[in-house]
Amino acid sequence: MSKQKPSTKKSIFFHIVLLLIPITTLVLTYLAYTTFRTVQFYNYVKSDQRGWSGQVHQAHKELGYAPIPNSHGWEILPLGPDIPVPYDKDGFRIPVDEKLKTTNNHPFALTLGCSFTYGAATHAENTFPYLIGADFGVSTKNAGVCSYGLSQMVLIAKLLIPRHKPDYVIVQYSPWLVKRAIQPFAPSYYGKLPNPYYFGESALGIAPAVFQTKVFDLPIDNYRNTQKGVSDFFFFR
């Protein structure tokens, strides 16, 4: 006796089910992962960990991210008062007190580097770029940015040196700057950020950031002081 072949409708239904199983699995896995990451981010925002308050950084096509000119925000610290973070019209970090701001007169020094040059967790007038200027009687332009690597330093040097024509250029020399420059993502308080990176062997080049992050567009400040709970998390998502 020959076996009866399944009808066309049953065959189509069977193939649709087989197709839906992996798709459903992928969708559920993605939803579970995004929910897990959202919970982590939500808990981070509600905690006393380090971070930023105010819109002071933005996505940048070449640099990955950069300071927003003429912006003012705060670096949040788990212990002690928050640190004010003002940037001038050119995106350089400056003191809050008008009397402490350096002039645009020559001679002046341009400083390049990461958070060590920027001066994380300290006021602008206590950073080494500012103190060097005060000791030697020159104006300083602090172009250091947290999490930057050698790739960003080279890119902004090519941009800022011809534009501002500094008398001196002070470059931070740290081994991790090179390591960051060969990786497509840079560390940050909120995870990883796209980063320009060196590529090639015989001839080196700098590849731009693989995409423009949206993390700076998130309304994080709206949820820092709200009551933690299910409804608050629902709107956070």
Side-chain angles (χ1 to χ4, degrees):
M1 257 182 95
S2 61
K3 294 182 179 179
Q4 187 177 3
K5 293 183 178 180
S7 65
T8 303
K9 290 183 178 180
K10 288 183 178 180
S11 178
I12 293 174
F13 176 77
F14 178 74
H15 284 87
I16 291 175
V17 171
L18 289 179
L19 182 63
L20 287 177
I21 290 175
I23 294 177
T24 304
T25 302
L26 288 174
V27 170
L28 292 177
T29 301
Y30 174 77
L31 290 175
Y33 175 75
T34 54
T35 301
F36 171 73
R37 291 288 294 165
T38 304
V39 170
Q40 283 188 316
F41 195 27
Y42 179 76
N43 290 332
Y44 177 88
V45 171
K46 294 297 185 180
S47 68
D48 293 328
Q49 298 184 54
R50 294 178 67 172
W52 303 95
S53 177
Q55 198 73 15
V56 290
H57 299 106
Q58 62 186 348
H60 192 280
K61 185 177 181 180
E62 292 184 344
L63 301 172
Y65 52 95
I68 298 176
N70 289 322
S71 63
H72 189 291
W74 303 84
E75 183 182 3
I76 300 173
L77 303 176
L79 297 175
D82 299 336
I83 304 296
V85 181
Y87 289 107
D88 69 8
K89 63 181 180 64
D90 296 307
F92 297 121
R93 190 186 180 191
I94 55 175
V96 175
D97 191 341
E98 289 287 340
K99 297 178 181 179
L100 298 177
K101 294 177 182 178
T102 58
T103 65
N104 293 321
N105 298 329
H106 287 267
F108 86 85
L110 174 68
T111 60
L112 305 172
C114 67
S115 57
F116 279 69
T117 300
Y118 163 85
T122 190
H123 291 266
E125 57 269 27
N126 294 326
T127 62
F128 84 78
Y130 187 91
L131 295 176
I132 286 176
D135 287 344
F136 288 91
V138 298
S139 299
T140 53
K141 302 292 184 182
N142 188 346
V145 179
C146 294
S147 298
Y148 265 18
L150 184 60
S151 54
Q152 283 115 330
M153 292 165 61
V154 170
L155 290 173
I156 60 177
K158 291 180 178 180
L159 176 66
L160 298 179
I161 292 175
R163 178 183 298 174
H164 296 283
K165 297 179 173 58
D167 300 281
Y168 308 98
V169 178
I170 302 173
V171 180
Q172 179 184 331
Y173 181 75
S174 304
W176 57 82
L177 297 177
V178 177
K179 184 178 179 180
R180 290 177 182 173
I182 58 176
Q183 297 175 340
F185 295 95
S188 78
Y189 294 146
Y190 302 134
K192 298 289 186 179
L193 294 175
N195 185 62
Y197 59 95
Y198 275 97
F199 69 96
E201 296 181 359
S202 58
L204 292 176
I206 299 179
V210 292
F211 63 87
Q212 291 198 51
T213 181
K214 295 293 185 182
V215 69
F216 300 115
D217 299 330
L218 300 176
I220 296 173
D221 287 343
N222 296 344
Y223 294 91
R224 288 195 181 276
N225 299 314
T226 56
Q227 183 65 38
K228 186 176 181 180
V230 176
S231 60
D232 185 64
F233 175 75
F234 177 81
F235 288 104
F236 179 81
R237 297 184 63 189

